[in-house]
Amino acid sequence: MTALPPVADHETWQRELEALRIREKAATRELDAIAAQRRRLPMVRMPDYTLEGENGPVRLVDVFEGRSQLIVYNHMWFDGEEWQCPGCTGFTAQFTRFEFLEPYDARFVIVTQGPIDEALAYKRKVGNRFDWYSTANSPFGADVGAPAGGGFAVNVFLRDGDAVYRTWHTSGRGVEQLSHTFPLIDLLPYGRQEEWQDSPEGWPQSPTYSRWTSPQEIAAAYGARGD
């Protein structure tokens, strides 16, 4: 590497860090305020959708499995493709457990437009550990911002008895904020090393997505032949 940050004495470094910390703390407080506003959003009642699960048809209300809150990751699906979206595959691969949601009366699942048999086969191939459901025979995916042939999203639902309400939705880089990979990478001096990022002159940069882990690499590490 020929491009390096400038070298400074400890006092200068500490002063610059403290100046940055002011902005970091302000961002933290803003995120707290955003979460508070999110808790005050209204909600929309959903129809009584039927999805396909590993054991057959299942009503959306039953996907909660008795819990009151549900997070759904809408996984992109392309018919006839051996390897599905690397972004979706990579995002869901970074999570290995969601038991911490249980004290919060919540559950996390994956819903895709792919036929359930193909979706479950892909889940096993890439070593995904969560329950998958298919909306191939239901308008659910299209109705929550994840239509067939593309579209990924995160949707949150609240159950009150047999009534299900949609409380929140995001897609695009809003989903990225829920990961732990990019926050870690953004701590590094060279960051993501993608062309669109604001970096000092001479910093290593490559095409967007080119450093992302591929579905094939995820399958090799975590799938049927991995651990």
Side-chain angles (χ1 to χ4, degrees):
M1 293 287 186
T2 57
L4 297 170
V7 178
D9 58 53
H10 182 269
E11 289 73 17
T12 300
W13 176 83
Q14 188 67 46
R15 184 169 62 251
E16 294 288 342
L17 179 64
E18 290 172 359
L20 176 62
R21 185 78 74 238
I22 293 172
R23 298 185 65 184
E24 291 175 339
K25 291 292 186 182
T28 298
R29 289 190 290 270
E30 177 62 14
L31 288 173
D32 287 342
I34 290 170
Q37 183 175 350
R38 186 182 297 118
R39 289 190 291 272
R40 289 166 172 79
L41 284 174
M43 60 186 183
V44 178
R45 185 162 183 172
M46 306 298 288
D48 187 16
Y49 296 101
T50 297
L51 307 181
E52 295 290 329
E54 189 165 9
N55 298 314
V58 56
R59 296 170 63 204
L60 177 60
V61 67
D62 293 326
V63 174
F64 285 74
E65 291 192 345
R67 299 172 180 86
S68 66
Q69 301 171 102
L70 178 70
I71 300 170
V72 170
Y73 183 81
N74 295 97
H75 197 296
M76 292 178 71
W77 189 269
F78 299 100
D79 289 336
E81 295 292 330
E82 179 183 3
W83 300 101
Q84 296 299 326
C85 168
C88 291
T89 306
F91 177 84
T92 55
Q94 68 187 293
F95 302 107
T96 59
R97 55 175 294 273
F98 273 113
E99 290 85 357
F100 65 86
L101 287 175
E102 293 176 4
Y104 297 91
D105 195 22
R107 187 177 185 224
F108 175 97
V109 301
I110 295 173
V111 174
T112 186
Q113 291 280 0
I116 188 61
D117 290 346
E118 295 180 25
L120 293 174
Y122 186 71
K123 166 192 169 177
R124 290 189 291 271
K125 182 163 67 172
V126 298
N128 191 280
R129 302 191 181 188
F130 307 111
D131 290 333
W132 283 50
Y133 298 86
S134 170
T135 183
N137 299 312
S138 163
F140 173 75
D143 290 351
V144 297
F152 68 97
V154 172
N155 283 279
V156 181
F157 303 92
L158 181 67
R159 181 181 66 85
D160 182 21
D162 283 339
V164 174
Y165 300 89
R166 188 185 186 197
T167 65
W168 188 72
H169 163 268
T170 194
S171 60
R173 293 196 66 198
V175 175
E176 170 190 305
Q177 304 303 313
L178 307 176
S179 73
H180 64 252
T181 52
F182 286 127
L184 287 174
I185 294 168
D186 286 341
L187 296 178
L188 300 172
Y190 294 124
R192 305 185 197 186
Q193 304 178 43
E194 295 189 357
E195 293 172 335
W196 63 271
Q197 287 199 294
D198 181 0
S199 297
E201 185 69 28
W203 247 230
Q205 289 184 300
S206 22
T208 303
Y209 312 132
S210 62
R211 295 178 183 269
W212 288 22
T213 306
S214 70
Q216 295 93 321
E217 291 169 326
I218 291 170
Y222 305 116
R225 291 183 297 275
D227 182 4

